[in-house]
Amino acid sequence: MSAVWFLLAAAGGTAIRTILLSTNTDVPWGTLAVNLGGSFVLGLMVGADAADVAIAVGGIGSLTTWSRFAAGLVEHRHETGRVVAYLVVSLAGGVGLAWAGLQLGG
C-alpha cells in the first residue's frame, strides 16, 4: 500500500509544481515556494515511520526542484544582487523551514 501512496503523492507533487512554475515572472516565485514549502514538510516528517517517509519523499521530492533552482541562478548570472538574494533566501529559508518543521514535528 505504501507504493500506491508514494505514487499518488508523487503525482500530486508534480501537478502542484507544474501549476506554480507556470508563472512567467522575473523572480522564480514558484520554484522558491515549492522548495521552501518542501523543506518545511520534510522537516515535519523526520522521525515518522517508513511508510510516511516514503509518501513524503514521493510527494515532496516531486514537488521541489533543485534543477530549476540551479537553472534560475544561471539564467540571472549577470544580475549579481538578484542571484545572491535568491541563493541566500533559498538556502537559509530552506534550512530554517526544515528546522521549524523538525521542531513542530518533534
Side-chain angles (χ1 to χ4, degrees), residues 53-71:
V53 171
I55 294 166
V57 169
I60 302 305
S62 66
L63 175 67
T64 60
T65 172
W66 178 260
S67 59
R68 185 64 206 125
F69 165 71

Side-chain angles (χ1 to χ4, degrees), residues 30-52:
T31 302
L32 185 63
V34 297
N35 287 342
L36 294 178
S39 296
F40 178 73
V41 172
L42 286 176
L44 283 173
M45 299 300 298
V46 171
D49 66 31
D52 289 339

Side-chain angles (χ1 to χ4, degrees), residues 67-92:
S67 59
R68 185 64 206 125
F69 165 71
L73 293 174
V74 171
E75 287 172 8
H76 297 284
R77 66 189 172 277
H78 301 295
E79 302 170 60
T80 306
R82 178 180 292 199
V83 168
V84 169
Y86 184 51
L87 184 62
V88 168
V89 169
S90 294
L91 295 178

